[in-house]
Amino acid sequence: MTTSVPSGVLLGWFDRHERDLPWREPGLSGWQILISEIMLQQTPVSRVIGPWHEWVRRWPVPSAMAAASAGEVLRAWGKLGYPRRALRLHECAGVLAEQHGDRVPDEVATMLTLPGIGDYTARAVACFAYGQPVPVVDTNVRRVIARAVHGREQPGNPSRTDLDDASALLPRDPDDTFATTAPRFSAALMELGALVCTARTPRCDDCPLTDCTWVRLGRPAHTGPPRKVQKFAGTDRQVRGLLLDVLRDTDHPVTRDRLDIAWTTDTAQRDRALDSLLVDGLVELTADGRYCLAGEAD
């Protein structure tokens, strides 16, 4: 890499501009951090704060969630989107309660064996819950590195080199404060991408990284394939959500006609969406042919 990110400059900016987010409070458990990381995947921060407070109050430890039904967890998930995340977290809670002393382990390798925990989530929990100096790479971090280091407007496809790039930027202070500084540096890098180095309208004049390669090169436009914009209206995702809304709004199984009226625009799409919910284990059929959330068929 040709450009570094000065840790003192970035951390000084973070001291002034860090958002007051509840999962950044000191003393939180790995489980509470894990809940926040699962909720924040592909979901804006503003929509996560309320549900996160409710979840850590309702299920303060993994065994508390494991004792609830999958349906209860899905119902509490509400409108956060991508509900398979909730189902996998419920499964993960059971494993943590039974095999890990009701706590999230602090080793990345061990966390990667848990249901629904991928490389980013494992590293984020190790870093932000346990203070480990491991690189944490999300979309925001990849974008900051693409611009500041490589001079590209947008990052390429995710790859293992992303971790190498982020690891090379971590501060290694001569006074042995690396273990405490690195996690905060990772959080600051993510914050910079979220608030300043944004995808569509970066605020370069407000950026503390004055030696940004992309700016120095004249902010060249992205030359790769155009970024795909995810739509929602009219998609199978929307229909799945509407069907789940019907089941979340009742505490008992419903007949097929209750689901049919949730989406009448395209009946074939509705049937496809319902089948996919059954395949994913989010919805179950009772013995008498009615529909309910996972774990509520009995």
Side-chain angles (χ1 to χ4, degrees):
M1 291 190 292
T2 59
T3 298
S4 64
V5 174
S7 59
V9 170
L10 182 60
L11 290 170
W13 173 86
F14 193 43
D15 287 341
R16 298 187 300 275
H17 298 283
E18 178 183 7
R19 287 173 293 179
D20 183 18
L21 301 177
W23 43 84
R24 287 178 175 167
E25 292 295 322
L28 296 180
S29 68
W31 170 244
Q32 292 168 320
I33 299 297
L34 176 60
I35 291 175
S36 73
E37 290 297 339
I38 296 296
M39 287 184 168
L40 286 165
Q41 294 170 12
Q42 298 177 289
T43 304
V45 166
S46 59
R47 290 176 54 198
V48 169
I49 293 175
W52 182 84
H53 277 296
E54 172 60 23
W55 278 46
V56 298
R57 182 199 63 78
R58 184 173 181 180
W59 297 306
V61 291
S63 57
M65 180 178 289
S69 71
E72 287 180 74
V73 175
L74 286 171
R75 193 168 280 110
W77 188 256
K79 297 285 190 178
L80 287 175
Y82 300 97
R84 276 179 292 183
R85 291 180 291 168
L87 204 60
R88 295 292 276 169
L89 184 58
H90 179 256
E91 184 182 353
C92 180
V95 175
L96 292 173
E98 294 176 7
Q99 301 178 20
H100 296 280
D102 214 18
R103 67 182 295 274
V104 178
D106 55 11
E107 306 89 0
V108 170
T110 304
M111 278 189 271
L112 287 172
T113 67
L114 299 172
I117 306 303
D119 195 58
Y120 165 76
T121 302
R123 290 176 174 277
V125 174
C127 179
F128 302 133
Y130 298 116
Q132 294 188 15
V134 296
V136 182
V137 180
D138 70 349
T139 301
N140 290 317
V141 170
R142 293 180 64 245
R143 186 168 56 254
V144 170
I145 291 176
R147 290 172 179 167
V149 177
H150 299 299
R152 300 193 300 265
E153 182 187 24
Q154 300 296 339
N157 294 325
S159 70
R160 293 298 300 182
T161 61
D162 295 334
L163 284 176
D164 295 336
D165 285 350
S167 181
L169 294 177
L170 290 177
R172 288 170 172 80
D173 299 312
D175 57 355
D176 294 327
T177 60
F178 173 51
T180 56
T181 304
R184 185 159 177 81
F185 179 87
S186 292
L189 206 59
M190 296 172 73
E191 194 84 331
L192 184 67
L195 300 182
V196 175
C197 194
T198 57
R200 296 179 183 276
T201 54
R203 295 164 34 222
C204 295
D205 290 343
D206 298 326
C207 182
L209 306 183
T210 56
D211 191 31
C212 173
T213 303
W214 183 55
V215 171
R216 194 169 65 245
L217 294 175
R219 296 176 41 154
H222 180 60
T223 57
R227 296 175 66 247
K228 293 183 178 179
V229 178
Q230 287 188 329
K231 64 177 183 177
F232 180 71
T235 63
D236 284 5
R237 275 188 58 218
Q238 182 189 21
V239 181
R240 282 164 57 101
L242 293 172
L243 295 172
L244 285 174
D245 284 345
V246 173
L247 299 176
R248 276 195 292 256
D249 290 342
T250 181
D251 58 1
H252 54 77
V254 304
T255 55
R256 175 61 186 262
D257 61 296
R258 288 280 302 279
L259 295 174
D260 286 347
I261 62 175
W263 184 258
T264 57
T265 304
D266 183 338
T267 58
Q269 183 184 35
R270 181 194 63 217
D271 294 345
R272 182 172 66 246
L274 180 56
D275 286 342
S276 70
L277 290 172
L278 290 165
V279 170
D280 288 345
L282 294 164
V283 172
E284 294 179 356
L285 268 172
T286 64
D288 60 359
R290 292 178 297 161
Y291 295 82
C292 61
L293 292 175
E296 297 184 346
D298 297 332

